[in-house]
Amino acid sequence: MPMHVNESAENYLETILMLSQTHPVVRSVDIATELNFKKSSVSVAMKKLRESHHIVVSPEGYITLTESGREIADRIYERHTLLSSWLQRLGVDPQTAVDDACRIEHVISTESFEAIKKHIHEKMDAEN
């Protein structure tokens, strides 16, 4: 059962996931820096994500994904990495591939994404 959150929320959750892989703790200021957004915009978004139980924020301001937040972030991140690498293998310029993957990852249906993923994996298996 997919959870419906808007594209902006998906981007924030994906960013928290990515930052958590390289930072000991994730704070609003880290997200603002990473996305080049104002800290005030990030604070508003974090409040919404906290209210929808996708993140928890410690008294020190450390942001952690909840189970639902992690599920959404993992789904978007998988789409992002698979689509951007696929586009690059098709000959798309790396920056364009990343930019396009960013847009596609939010609007593609689960059915279409799963079909692309299956196709890519079958093609890779055939090549190995």
Side-chain angles (χ1 to χ4, degrees):
M1 179 175 136
M3 280 153 286
H4 295 286
V5 292
N6 67 28
E7 184 174 324
S8 163
E10 289 177 344
N11 266 335
Y12 278 116
L13 293 168
E14 181 186 23
T15 301
I16 294 165
L17 174 67
M18 289 162 63
L19 287 172
S20 71
Q21 294 168 354
T22 56
H23 291 57
V25 293
V26 179
R27 299 158 310 169
S28 283
V29 64
D30 302 317
I31 298 164
T33 303
E34 179 70 21
L35 296 173
N36 204 14
F37 288 170
K38 288 197 199 91
K39 196 172 175 309
S40 56
S41 306
V42 174
S43 296
V44 170
M46 292 308 104
K47 182 176 190 286
K48 287 180 183 163
L49 290 173
R50 197 172 66 238
E51 286 168 356
S52 57
H53 307 291
H54 293 313
I55 62 167
V56 285
V57 183
S58 76
E60 302 81 27
Y62 303 155
I63 298 163
T64 316
L65 295 168
T66 62
E67 193 178 336
S68 68
R70 179 71 191 226
E71 262 175 55
I72 295 163
D74 282 341
R75 175 170 44 93
I76 297 300
Y77 187 65
E78 179 194 27
R79 289 178 175 197
H80 180 87
T81 52
L82 189 103
L83 293 167
S84 60
S85 64
W86 180 54
L87 290 169
Q88 285 177 53
R89 286 181 61 171
L90 294 175
V92 176
D93 167 77
Q95 190 55 57
T96 303
V98 167
D99 293 345
D100 285 347
C102 266
R103 288 192 285 272
I104 297 166
E105 70 198 26
H106 301 289
V107 294
I108 192 170
S109 69
T110 301
E111 182 184 1
S112 293
F113 178 73
E114 291 302 323
I116 290 170
K117 186 164 87 171
K118 183 174 181 240
H119 171 77
I120 292 169
H121 289 309
E122 284 171 359
K123 194 161 172 47
M124 287 165 84
D125 289 345
E127 289 170 10
N128 294 336

